[in-house]
Amino acid sequence: MRNWLVAVPATLVLAACGGGADGGASNNDRNSLAAQACEAAAKSRLDGKLYELDLQALAASMKDVPNGEQFLTAPITIEPGLTTEAKQIVECTVRFSEAKPQPDVVGFVFNW
């Protein structure tokens, strides 16, 4: 009996976290996809250098811009712990399309 009393509330909590008309997909999924695309863009510009980028912070920063694209920004540390360490800001703009699940990076800069 005690296990049943714990299982029902736990199931209700899990049910409240998922679902929706899109089968559980949410803005957080889009934010994560956008952050991953921006990280790939950063990585391609760093020529194999080590870096630290908080993907959760990058995803959480996603904002709509007037032209229908999304803008993301977060701090990045390039070559952390080395004498050549540099702290910058990633500024990334992505565009989602119905044709594919991954967004296209349409703008990217390291802001000193």
Side-chain angles (χ1 to χ4, degrees), residues 20-96:
D22 57 2
S26 66
N27 282 342
N28 288 338
D29 295 334
R30 286 175 54 96
N31 292 29
S32 295
L33 290 172
Q36 290 168 12
C38 291
E39 181 187 32
K43 187 175 184 177
S44 72
R45 289 162 173 79
L46 291 173
D47 297 324
K49 292 180 182 175
L50 297 174
Y51 66 92
E52 291 178 351
L53 176 63
D54 185 345
L55 282 180
Q56 290 180 338
L58 187 60
S61 75
M62 190 165 91
K63 305 272 187 260
D64 292 335
V65 291
N67 64 359
E69 297 170 349
Q70 284 72 37
F71 178 77
L72 297 88
T73 185
I76 186 170
T77 303
I78 301 167
E79 297 187 325
L82 301 177
T83 58
T84 54
E85 178 179 301
K87 294 185 183 227
Q88 299 181 21
I89 303 292
V90 166
E91 293 180 353
C92 180
T93 305
V94 299
R95 179 184 309 129
F96 285 91

